Amino acid sequence: MLKEFKRPQKLMGNAFEITIVGNDEKKAQNHIDAAIDEIRRIEKLLTTFSDESQTSLINKNAGIQPVEVDLEIFDLIERSMRISAVTDGYFDISYGGIDKSFWNFDREMKKLPDPELIKEHLKLVNYRNIILDRARQTVFLKEKGMRIGFGGIGKGYAAEMAKQLLQKRDVTSGIVNASGDLTAWGNQADGKSWTIGIADPDNAGQPFSYMNITDMAIATSGNYEKFVIINGKRYSHTINPKTGMPVSGIKSVTIFCPNAEIADAMATPVSIMGIDAALNMINQINHLECIIIDDQDKIYSSQNINLQ
C-alpha cells in the first residue's frame, strides 16, 4: 500500500519540506535523510555566512586573484551568467554588493537609503565582470569589493539536486518544497497528479488557484512575505540589480518549468523587468510559463497557462 511520508526541516535558512511516496516507512525516512544531507552539502558550498565556503573565498579575492573552485560551483556560476544574459541582467548573482548593506526588511526601516551611496555600490554589480576559466576551473571577480551570492538560485538548485538524488535512489514520486519553490515528480499515493496551490498575494495562507502538476517545478516571488512601507508606499524585498531599489507595482510572480533551479532564478527577474517585457521573454522560451499579479490584483499569464 503506497503512502506519503513527509518531513519538514529548516535548511538554508528556509522551511523545507520533503515528501516521498513509498510503502516502507524505514526506507522512506532513509531517503529523506539522504535528501537533507544533500541540501546541507549544497548550503555549505554556497553560503556567504561562513568564511570557509568557496563562495566566500571568491568574494574575498575579488580584484585580487582567481579562485579555483569545485566543478559544481563553476557550472552553477556559468549557468547563472547564462540566465543573466537571457534576462538582460535583471538576474545577476553579483548583486551581493548592494543587498544587505542598504535594505533591511525587518520593518525597522523608516526611510529609503541614500541614492548616491547606492549608485556607488551599483558600479560593482555586473555579471560581465565575473571571469570564468574552464581550463583552470577558476572564478575571478574583476573589481575589488564585488560580491556574488546565490540567494536568487540556490534554493531551486538545492531542490533540483535533492530531487535528482531521490530519483537515483529509485524514488518514483515525491516533492521537494524549498519554502514555496518546489519540484514535484510522479504522482500522489492514490495515483492522481499532485495538486499545488498558487499563493494569493493578499492572503498567503489561501491559494487563489490550484494546478495539477507532475514532473514540474514552481517558484514564486512575492512582496507579500517581506516588505516595508515608507511614506505610504510598499517596497518589496526584491531588489532591482540595475537601480539598487526595491521593486513596486507587482505583488507576485509564479514560474512553472521542469527545472527547479531555472524556475527559482526566473521568478525574480520577471518581477522586476516590467510585465510586457517579462511576458514577451517567457513566451519565447520553451517549457517556461508564468503568472503575474500586479498591485491592482490584475492577473497576467503567459501563452500556455490554463488557470482552473
Side-chain angles (χ1 to χ4, degrees), residues 117-180:
L117 220 56
I118 288 184
K119 252 194 213 128
E120 263 315 292
H121 279 250
L122 268 183
K123 292 177 185 158
L124 297 172
V125 178
N126 186 349
Y127 71 95
R128 293 182 185 87
N129 287 333
I130 304 171
I131 310 300
L132 299 181
D133 181 337
R134 186 164 272 286
R136 294 202 170 96
Q137 223 168 284
T138 58
V139 181
F140 178 49
L141 308 182
K142 248 164 72 172
E143 306 291 328
K144 219 171 174 31
M146 252 182 102
R147 289 170 53 85
I148 59 168
F150 295 101
I153 197 170
K155 274 193 319 187
Y157 174 62
E160 189 63 30
M161 292 293 281
K163 174 191 86 172
Q164 287 179 20
L165 177 99
L166 289 168
Q167 287 176 324
K168 279 189 196 123
R169 294 172 68 110
D170 297 325
V171 175
T172 52
S173 299
I175 296 181
V176 180
N177 186 342
S179 190

Side-chain angles (χ1 to χ4, degrees), residues 182-185 213-218 256-259 287:
L182 62 86
T183 180
W185 69 103
I213 63 163
T214 183
D215 303 321
M216 183 63 67
I218 296 181
F256 306 84
C257 108
N259 180 296
H287 311 301

Side-chain angles (χ1 to χ4, degrees), residues 96 134 225 227 255:
R134 186 164 272 286
E225 286 165 333
F227 59 88
I255 301 280

